[in-house]
Amino acid sequence: MTLAFTLCSINYLAQARTLGDSLRRTNPHIRFIIGLVDRLDVAQVPTDMLPDFELLELHNIGISGLQEMCEHYNITELNTAVKPYFFRYFFEQISQVSNVIYFDPDIIVYQPLTELENLLQKHDFVLTPHLATPIDDQLTPNELHHLNTGVYNLGFIALRKSPEAIDFVKWWAEKLFNECKIDLCNGLFVDQNWVNFAPIFWNNVHVEKHPGWNAAYWNLHERSFSSKEGTHSVNNLPVMFFHYSGYDPAKPNIISKYQNRFTFEQRPDLIALFEFYRAELLRNHNAYYRQFSCFYIKSEPVYKYQRVREFLKKPFEKWLAKL
Amino acid sequence: MASQTLIFTVCTVAQLPFTKVLGDSLPPNISFKIGIVDANRTVFDSRTISLNELPMSEIQSLQQRYDEASLIAASKPFFADFFLQTKQYQTLIYVDPTVFFIGDIGAIVQVIKNYDIVLTPRITHKFGKTPYGDEKMFLNTGMYDSGFWAIRQSDNTLQFLKWWKERLFDRAHFNLCEGMNHEQLWLNYVPIFFKNVLVNKNIGWNLALHNLHERAVTFSENEWKVNQTEKLIFVNFRECLSFPKALNTTIQASGFDSIRKIYLANLTQYISRPPSIFSVRSALFPQISPWKRFLKQQLQSIIDSISHFPLYHKITK
């Protein structure tokens, strides 16, 4: 049995529902679970607003030291840090599971995942690179940006329940317990940079470069899209799943807040894909879910008097730089 | 066939003693060249070629832009391109000047017959933490070691060199926060962007300080072996010339010290003290006196307190 899951807090449930709907349309045989990094009982989401998908709340998967993780991480870090713990839960607790696929909530699956399931018969891991071909300009993001954040995008990873994958998940969980930070100078970028090690420490890792897999703002330079009768294609191949990272339906003119390479005017080929996504998010109550703040995350402390602080720090910083 | 294969290295004039030891470790029938990056070359040896001599328009910019370590790193694909395109060598093996061949180089020549590009990972197994460093230290410095790579003449290889040259033209600094570790971090892309790439996990290749914790060296029946399974082919002594005491245990436990002594004995034939050479570990963990370390920690703690007063916010690394 193949299981697919996503991870989010209540504020991203419109995205998770959209992903779930797409899987139900294209891959009804795949069991889909939303891993919820939040508490429904505390948030008091009315029953009619709960997604019509299996929900598995973080506190129910048996992470020892969860409290410590929550104190240590912000919302992005926590949502990514728990990924291997969910993989471990599915491998250990759901006996029929043979494959587990993770999708970021802001993904839509457009086609049956037959090829992926075939690959998982032969491989223990399937990953997708951010870029399959070089990118020559130095706009954002460019090749340099993925060198300290990870060459594979962890919005998608598929694992076969095998000794190699189980060993990987165990290692990954250990790492992410306290090193799922964004700290580029020290080699850390959430769960993603660690996965650079996957093809090195383990064997049987497949890296899929099909342009229809995990197409997203970071690889638009090598992918040109078209739509015909509701079917989306990329470089004349079907779009398998598109990753709408950094897109906000409240700002429909922006492809992603994380990129400055393309606008919709330059890339009209993207309009159909994004119009569909926007309509799906609105239908799935995006504005409603966005109001919820995550139970696990305390608000970031606000430090006032920044200028005074900078002034006071200056002599010490100068001294430190001289050492 | 051997003459179609070239081994080359790149260094400064001051580092030439390393290349003499490297040259001595090579079989006599293999071509060996040394790229020199100094602006004013002061040696005349038929095996050396100066960066200035390369017929490429980018060279002057490289020399103006970079410090010594970055310039050595950035010039590697320019030399490689020259050897493949102008000199028409069929196969190139780049090694650091601090490399020493112990086993049969034919094993490498054999492998590169079947691939366009051959790389070695810096480590092959998860390990957590060792006196050398921890796993995350490899994440922002690179998966594959730039102290060795082998390439074969092909369009694919020329595309790789073109790509690498373009990046190293202006992005070969040592600035980990910006995703740059000289030429090495760029290699992370090579198995993804280019065809016919082998990542050779053979533990007998490229023994170095950063992978000693996973490799034990033994000598028996006239042969050096790693973990008693693989033949030891070559070692890179770049980070073993001087090292902190903390790493002494790793070196002793791996049985590596005897090879290191042989290497240093060879080196002293040419120079009494090893010339300085860039080491990523030393750059990350400079050897500083305890009082200086203490002072640094105190200053950092004052800066953090000013940033976060009056709230205590957990600061983690």
Side-chain angles (χ1 to χ4, degrees):
Chain A
M1 186 255 282
T2 298
L3 185 151
F5 77 104
T6 190
L7 289 170
C8 65
S9 302
I10 294 172
N11 68 338
Y12 253 57
L13 273 179
Q15 283 78 357
R17 284 175 67 160
T18 302
L19 167 64
D21 290 343
S22 76
L23 277 165
R24 197 172 268 167
R25 279 193 301 273
T26 54
N27 292 273
H29 67 290
I30 291 180
R31 181 172 168 187
F32 176 62
I33 296 179
I34 299 174
L36 199 65
V37 184
D38 226 326
R39 290 283 296 237
L40 286 169
D41 52 352
V42 178
Q44 296 187 321
V45 180
T47 329
D48 63 332
M49 289 305 282
L50 288 177
D52 174 24
F53 296 103
E54 282 182 67
L55 286 169
L56 179 59
E57 290 171 86
L58 180 60
H59 66 281
N60 290 330
I61 64 162
I63 303 181
S64 57
L66 176 60
Q67 189 54 37
E68 208 180 315
M69 288 176 85
C70 296
E71 279 171 19
H72 190 64
Y73 289 140
N74 68 28
I75 191 163
T76 311
E77 291 163 350
L78 185 64
N79 266 279
T80 46
V82 298
K83 206 177 284 176
Y85 293 88
F86 274 90
F87 268 106
R88 188 178 71 185
Y89 178 85
F90 297 134
F91 282 154
E92 288 177 359
Q93 303 297 325
I94 304 178
S95 57
Q96 313 92 312
V97 158
S98 50
N99 304 319
V100 179
I101 311 169
Y102 170 81
F103 288 114
D104 263 355
D106 47 4
I107 280 175
I108 282 190
V109 177
Y110 283 101
Q111 292 291 334
L113 297 167
T114 322
E115 186 51 35
L116 172 59
E117 291 186 286
N118 288 342
L119 282 169
L120 287 170
Q121 299 207 344
K122 292 175 278 180
H123 301 276
D124 296 315
F125 305 61
V126 178
L127 296 170
T128 48
H130 278 108
L131 311 169
T133 58
I135 191 160
D136 288 325
D137 66 47
Q138 293 193 38
L139 295 167
T140 302
N142 61 56
E143 289 172 6
L144 207 51
H145 292 111
H146 306 299
L147 284 179
N148 56 6
T149 59
V151 288
Y152 309 105
N153 178 259
L154 261 289
F156 164 79
I157 176 171
L159 301 176
R160 173 171 64 171
K161 187 178 171 183
S162 67
E164 288 259 308
I166 290 169
D167 186 51
F168 161 72
V169 167
K170 182 173 174 282
W171 169 84
W172 203 22
E174 281 166 17
K175 293 287 151 199
L176 301 194
F177 183 75
N178 57 6
E179 291 190 307
C180 187
K181 307 289 287 181
I182 299 177
D183 180 4
L184 303 185
C185 300
N186 284 299
L188 296 181
F189 186 74
V190 291
D191 61 327
Q192 183 169 279
N193 210 15
W194 289 110
V195 179
N196 276 2
F197 278 128
I200 294 175
F201 291 166
W202 291 275
N203 297 307
N204 219 1
V205 176
H206 176 81
V207 176
E208 180 57 53
K209 299 181 203 169
H210 184 299
W213 293 46
N214 212 359
Y217 71 80
W218 48 80
N219 54 36
L220 296 176
H221 70 289
E222 60 189 21
R223 308 184 192 205
S224 114
F225 298 85
S226 60
S227 302
K228 201 174 175 184
E229 292 161 8
T231 303
H232 302 283
S233 302
V234 50
N235 300 355
N236 296 319
L237 292 164
V239 175
M240 308 301 281
F241 56 98
F242 194 96
H243 191 164
Y244 297 89
S245 178
Y247 174 75
D248 180 356
K251 295 174 186 162
N253 296 324
I254 298 170
I255 293 173
S256 167
K257 62 181 172 185
Y258 304 120
Q259 69 92 37
N260 65 8
R261 185 167 288 105
F262 295 117
T263 61
F264 282 113
E265 284 74 39
Q266 292 164 304
R267 295 298 302 263
D269 58 318
L270 294 167
I271 291 172
L273 276 162
F274 278 79
E275 275 184 349
F276 177 68
Y277 190 53
R278 180 162 187 266
E280 286 290 282
L281 290 184
L282 298 182
R283 183 177 67 78
N284 278 320
H285 312 287
N286 181 59
Y288 171 77
Y289 292 121
R290 291 304 285 225
Q291 310 166 57
F292 290 87
S293 53
C294 176
F295 164 78
Y296 289 106
I297 303 299
K298 285 156 219 70
S299 56
E300 292 274 330
V302 178
Y303 298 105
K304 293 180 180 171
Y305 314 114
Q306 277 302 332
R307 270 197 214 166
V308 180
R309 287 174 199 274
E310 292 306 320
F311 177 75
L312 291 172
K313 278 193 285 185
K314 218 165 230 171
F316 299 104
E317 284 172 339
K318 269 191 183 167
W319 193 4
L320 187 63
K322 275 186 194 160
L323 285 177
Chain B
M1 286 301 285
S3 64
Q4 295 194 334
T5 299
L6 173 73
I7 297 207
F8 81 103
T9 189
V10 180
C11 63
T12 60
V13 171
Q15 293 162 349
L16 277 172
F18 292 126
T19 67
K20 295 205 166 85
V21 185
L22 165 61
D24 293 345
S25 76
L26 296 172
N29 62 342
I30 203 149
S31 306
F32 175 50
K33 295 271 181 205
I34 302 153
I36 300 284
V37 298
D38 304 59
N40 299 311
R41 189 171 72 138
T42 52
V43 282
F44 296 95
D45 172 340
S46 61
R47 295 190 306 186
T48 62
I49 171 164
S50 168
L51 186 58
N52 290 328
E53 292 171 42
L54 302 188
M56 296 169 191
S57 56
E58 300 94 333
I59 303 302
Q60 209 183 351
S61 305
L62 295 180
Q63 285 170 330
Q64 285 165 356
R65 179 173 291 126
Y66 289 133
D67 62 14
E68 180 185 292
S70 292
L71 183 62
I72 291 173
S75 62
K76 290 179 190 177
F78 290 90
F79 279 110
D81 194 52
F82 173 75
F83 292 133
L84 279 190
Q85 299 222 65
T86 310
K87 297 292 178 188
Q88 295 285 311
Y89 282 100
Q90 291 305 299
T91 306
L92 291 186
I93 301 171
Y94 169 82
V95 287
D96 273 351
T98 44
V99 160
F100 188 62
F101 281 89
I102 286 174
D104 177 17
I105 202 167
I108 300 171
V109 177
Q110 204 56 36
V111 168
I112 190 65
K113 279 184 181 162
N114 300 314
Y115 296 91
D116 286 345
I117 304 167
V118 180
L119 301 175
T120 52
R122 295 168 69 208
I123 41 175
T124 61
H125 291 91
K126 59 184 160 79
F127 64 92
K129 201 169 178 177
T130 68
Y132 181 85
D134 59 9
E135 287 166 341
K136 69 173 174 294
M137 196 179 142
F138 291 81
L139 287 177
N140 57 358
T141 53
M143 294 291 115
Y144 311 107
D145 190 45
S146 61
F148 162 85
W149 38 274
I151 52 179
R152 179 178 69 167
Q153 180 83 257
S154 75
D155 288 345
N156 184 39
T157 301
L158 294 178
Q159 273 175 29
F160 155 61
L161 290 178
K162 180 174 180 289
W163 169 84
W164 210 15
K165 282 193 304 178
E166 283 169 5
R167 271 81 194 146
L168 299 186
F169 177 69
D170 57 350
R171 287 162 282 170
H173 296 284
F174 180 70
N175 182 351
L176 303 189
C177 301
E178 296 293 326
M180 278 183 269
N181 177 20
H182 293 144
E183 84 292 29
Q184 182 165 275
L185 204 43
W186 289 106
L187 295 177
N188 281 9
Y189 279 119
V190 173
I192 298 172
F193 286 169
F194 302 96
K195 290 177 290 194
N196 218 4
V197 177
L198 174 72
V199 174
N200 192 328
K201 296 186 187 178
N202 186 320
I203 52 172
W205 292 33
N206 217 350
L207 185 72
L209 190 63
H210 55 253
N211 56 37
L212 273 189
H213 62 273
E214 61 177 34
R215 305 180 194 196
V217 192
T218 46
F219 187 75
S220 66
E221 293 167 15
N222 256 346
E223 204 167 53
W224 287 97
K225 283 207 164 172
V226 181
N227 295 355
Q228 297 187 327
T229 53
E230 300 295 335
K231 289 180 184 178
L232 176 58
I233 307 295
F234 65 99
V235 185
N236 192 337
F237 289 95
R238 174 184 278 271
E239 295 192 299
C240 307
L241 301 161
S242 66
F243 52 84
K245 280 187 186 141
L247 282 154
N248 211 11
T249 326
T250 312
I251 290 190
Q252 297 299 338
S254 64
F256 180 73
D257 206 33
S258 40
I259 298 184
R260 187 174 163 269
K261 282 180 180 148
I262 296 170
Y263 180 77
L264 291 175
N266 279 313
L267 189 62
T268 44
Q269 289 175 34
Y270 300 106
I271 194 161
S272 55
R273 237 179 109 90
S276 73
I277 190 161
F278 180 83
S279 143
V280 73
R281 191 184 184 281
S282 308
L284 290 175
F285 305 107
Q287 291 190 49
I288 53 171
S289 58
W291 73 266
K292 208 169 182 181
R293 190 190 311 274
F294 175 77
L295 189 58
K296 275 184 146 186
Q297 283 167 350
Q298 293 303 310
L299 286 171
Q300 190 59 53
S301 141
I302 295 170
I303 293 166
D304 290 344
S305 304
I306 299 172
S307 301
H308 302 111
F309 179 83
L311 294 165
Y312 173 72
H313 183 64
K314 200 168 181 180
I315 303 154
T316 51
K317 279 265 170 171

PDB file of all heavy atoms in Angstrom, chain A residues 232-244:
ATOM      1  N   HIS A 232      -2.319  19.743 -18.127  1.00  0.00           N
ATOM      2  CA  HIS A 232      -1.132  20.613 -18.158  1.00  0.00           C
ATOM      3  C   HIS A 232       0.093  19.815 -18.594  1.00  0.00           C
ATOM      4  O   HIS A 232       0.307  18.695 -18.125  1.00  0.00           O
ATOM      5  CB  HIS A 232      -0.893  21.218 -16.780  1.00  0.00           C
ATOM      6  CG  HIS A 232      -2.060  22.001 -16.284  1.00  0.00           C
ATOM      7  ND1 HIS A 232      -2.357  23.271 -16.740  1.00  0.00           N
ATOM      8  CD2 HIS A 232      -3.043  21.686 -15.400  1.00  0.00           C
ATOM      9  CE1 HIS A 232      -3.450  23.702 -16.139  1.00  0.00           C
ATOM     10  NE2 HIS A 232      -3.888  22.760 -15.320  1.00  0.00           N
ATOM     11  N   SER A 233       0.859  20.438 -19.483  1.00  0.00           N
ATOM     12  CA  SER A 233       2.090  19.795 -19.949  1.00  0.00           C
ATOM     13  C   SER A 233       3.279  20.705 -19.688  1.00  0.00           C
ATOM     14  O   SER A 233       3.134  21.916 -19.566  1.00  0.00           O
ATOM     15  CB  SER A 233       2.025  19.518 -21.452  1.00  0.00           C
ATOM     16  OG  SER A 233       0.927  18.705 -21.731  1.00  0.00           O
ATOM     17  N   VAL A 234       4.461  20.077 -19.605  1.00  0.00           N
ATOM     18  CA  VAL A 234       5.695  20.826 -19.434  1.00  0.00           C
ATOM     19  C   VAL A 234       6.736  20.195 -20.353  1.00  0.00           C
ATOM     20  O   VAL A 234       6.919  18.980 -20.327  1.00  0.00           O
ATOM     21  CB  VAL A 234       6.148  20.840 -17.950  1.00  0.00           C
ATOM     22  CG1 VAL A 234       6.167  19.457 -17.330  1.00  0.00           C
ATOM     23  CG2 VAL A 234       7.507  21.506 -17.783  1.00  0.00           C
ATOM     24  N   ASN A 235       7.360  21.016 -21.170  1.00  0.00           N
ATOM     25  CA  ASN A 235       8.327  20.526 -22.168  1.00  0.00           C
ATOM     26  C   ASN A 235       7.750  19.303 -22.919  1.00  0.00           C
ATOM     27  O   ASN A 235       8.427  18.304 -23.130  1.00  0.00           O
ATOM     28  CB  ASN A 235       9.652  20.143 -21.515  1.00  0.00           C
ATOM     29  CG  ASN A 235      10.311  21.306 -20.795  1.00  0.00           C
ATOM     30  OD1 ASN A 235       9.823  22.432 -20.849  1.00  0.00           O
ATOM     31  ND2 ASN A 235      11.417  21.040 -20.124  1.00  0.00           N
ATOM     32  N   ASN A 236       6.456  19.395 -23.237  1.00  0.00           N
ATOM     33  CA  ASN A 236       5.723  18.340 -23.955  1.00  0.00           C
ATOM     34  C   ASN A 236       5.577  17.034 -23.183  1.00  0.00           C
ATOM     35  O   ASN A 236       5.312  15.984 -23.776  1.00  0.00           O
ATOM     36  CB  ASN A 236       6.364  18.057 -25.325  1.00  0.00           C
ATOM     37  CG  ASN A 236       6.275  19.283 -26.215  1.00  0.00           C
ATOM     38  OD1 ASN A 236       5.241  19.964 -26.230  1.00  0.00           O
ATOM     39  ND2 ASN A 236       7.358  19.586 -26.909  1.00  0.00           N
ATOM     40  N   LEU A 237       5.749  17.092 -21.888  1.00  0.00           N
ATOM     41  CA  LEU A 237       5.490  15.920 -21.038  1.00  0.00           C
ATOM     42  C   LEU A 237       4.419  16.322 -20.014  1.00  0.00           C
ATOM     43  O   LEU A 237       4.274  17.506 -19.715  1.00  0.00           O
ATOM     44  CB  LEU A 237       6.775  15.507 -20.302  1.00  0.00           C
ATOM     45  CG  LEU A 237       7.898  14.936 -21.168  1.00  0.00           C
ATOM     46  CD1 LEU A 237       9.219  14.943 -20.411  1.00  0.00           C
ATOM     47  CD2 LEU A 237       7.549  13.521 -21.626  1.00  0.00           C
ATOM     48  N   PRO A 238       3.684  15.363 -19.488  1.00  0.00           N
ATOM     49  CA  PRO A 238       2.638  15.760 -18.533  1.00  0.00           C
ATOM     50  C   PRO A 238       3.200  16.342 -17.234  1.00  0.00           C
ATOM     51  O   PRO A 238       4.243  15.889 -16.753  1.00  0.00           O
ATOM     52  CB  PRO A 238       1.898  14.446 -18.254  1.00  0.00           C
ATOM     53  CG  PRO A 238       2.761  13.360 -18.763  1.00  0.00           C
ATOM     54  CD  PRO A 238       3.683  13.922 -19.785  1.00  0.00           C
ATOM     55  N   VAL A 239       2.521  17.347 -16.693  1.00  0.00           N
ATOM     56  CA  VAL A 239       2.873  17.857 -15.360  1.00  0.00           C
ATOM     57  C   VAL A 239       2.364  16.826 -14.357  1.00  0.00           C
ATOM     58  O   VAL A 239       1.170  16.575 -14.272  1.00  0.00           O
ATOM     59  CB  VAL A 239       2.209  19.226 -15.087  1.00  0.00           C
ATOM     60  CG1 VAL A 239       2.484  19.675 -13.646  1.00  0.00           C
ATOM     61  CG2 VAL A 239       2.709  20.276 -16.064  1.00  0.00           C
ATOM     62  N   MET A 240       3.277  16.221 -13.620  1.00  0.00           N
ATOM     63  CA  MET A 240       2.865  15.213 -12.630  1.00  0.00           C
ATOM     64  C   MET A 240       2.442  15.898 -11.332  1.00  0.00           C
ATOM     65  O   MET A 240       1.367  15.667 -10.828  1.00  0.00           O
ATOM     66  CB  MET A 240       4.009  14.236 -12.332  1.00  0.00           C
ATOM     67  CG  MET A 240       4.626  13.607 -13.560  1.00  0.00           C
ATOM     68  SD  MET A 240       3.441  12.680 -14.540  1.00  0.00           S
ATOM     69  CE  MET A 240       3.350  11.194 -13.588  1.00  0.00           C
ATOM     70  N   PHE A 241       3.316  16.725 -10.788  1.00  0.00           N
ATOM     71  CA  PHE A 241       2.904  17.542  -9.637  1.00  0.00           C
ATOM     72  C   PHE A 241       3.647  18.867  -9.655  1.00  0.00           C
ATOM     73  O   PHE A 241       4.838  18.924  -9.955  1.00  0.00           O
ATOM     74  CB  PHE A 241       3.066  16.805  -8.303  1.00  0.00           C
ATOM     75  CG  PHE A 241       4.427  16.264  -7.975  1.00  0.00           C
ATOM     76  CD1 PHE A 241       5.298  16.958  -7.149  1.00  0.00           C
ATOM     77  CD2 PHE A 241       4.840  15.016  -8.455  1.00  0.00           C
ATOM     78  CE1 PHE A 241       6.542  16.434  -6.818  1.00  0.00           C
ATOM     79  CE2 PHE A 241       6.079  14.491  -8.137  1.00  0.00           C
ATOM     80  CZ  PHE A 241       6.942  15.205  -7.319  1.00  0.00           C
ATOM     81  N   PHE A 242       2.866  19.925  -9.375  1.00  0.00           N
ATOM     82  CA  PHE A 242       3.411  21.279  -9.390  1.00  0.00           C
ATOM     83  C   PHE A 242       3.456  21.783  -7.957  1.00  0.00           C
ATOM     84  O   PHE A 242       2.539  21.574  -7.182  1.00  0.00           O
ATOM     85  CB  PHE A 242       2.540  22.203 -10.257  1.00  0.00           C
ATOM     86  CG  PHE A 242       3.219  23.512 -10.577  1.00  0.00           C
ATOM     87  CD1 PHE A 242       3.893  23.680 -11.775  1.00  0.00           C
ATOM     88  CD2 PHE A 242       3.195  24.569  -9.668  1.00  0.00           C
ATOM     89  CE1 PHE A 242       4.534  24.888 -12.070  1.00  0.00           C
ATOM     90  CE2 PHE A 242       3.843  25.770  -9.949  1.00  0.00           C
ATOM     91  CZ  PHE A 242       4.513  25.930 -11.160  1.00  0.00           C
ATOM     92  N   HIS A 243       4.532  22.456  -7.626  1.00  0.00           N
ATOM     93  CA  HIS A 243       4.771  22.929  -6.263  1.00  0.00           C
ATOM     94  C   HIS A 243       4.618  24.452  -6.252  1.00  0.00           C
ATOM     95  O   HIS A 243       5.465  25.148  -6.801  1.00  0.00           O
ATOM     96  CB  HIS A 243       6.191  22.503  -5.860  1.00  0.00           C
ATOM     97  CG  HIS A 243       6.503  22.666  -4.417  1.00  0.00           C
ATOM     98  ND1 HIS A 243       7.576  22.056  -3.829  1.00  0.00           N
ATOM     99  CD2 HIS A 243       5.890  23.356  -3.428  1.00  0.00           C
ATOM    100  CE1 HIS A 243       7.615  22.375  -2.539  1.00  0.00           C
ATOM    101  NE2 HIS A 243       6.608  23.168  -2.280  1.00  0.00           N
ATOM    102  N   TYR A 244       3.531  24.939  -5.644  1.00  0.00           N
ATOM    103  CA  TYR A 244       3.223  26.379  -5.683  1.00  0.00           C
ATOM    104  C   TYR A 244       3.866  27.103  -4.502  1.00  0.00           C
ATOM    105  O   TYR A 244       3.206  27.878  -3.801  1.00  0.00           O
ATOM    106  CB  TYR A 244       1.717  26.570  -5.660  1.00  0.00           C
ATOM    107  CG  TYR A 244       0.996  25.994  -6.865  1.00  0.00           C
ATOM    108  CD1 TYR A 244       0.551  24.674  -6.874  1.00  0.00           C
ATOM    109  CD2 TYR A 244       0.760  26.770  -7.991  1.00  0.00           C
ATOM    110  CE1 TYR A 244      -0.117  24.145  -7.969  1.00  0.00           C
ATOM    111  CE2 TYR A 244       0.096  26.256  -9.099  1.00  0.00           C
ATOM    112  CZ  TYR A 244      -0.342  24.934  -9.082  1.00  0.00           C
ATOM    113  OH  TYR A 244      -0.987  24.418 -10.166  1.00  0.00           O
TER     114      TYR A 244
END
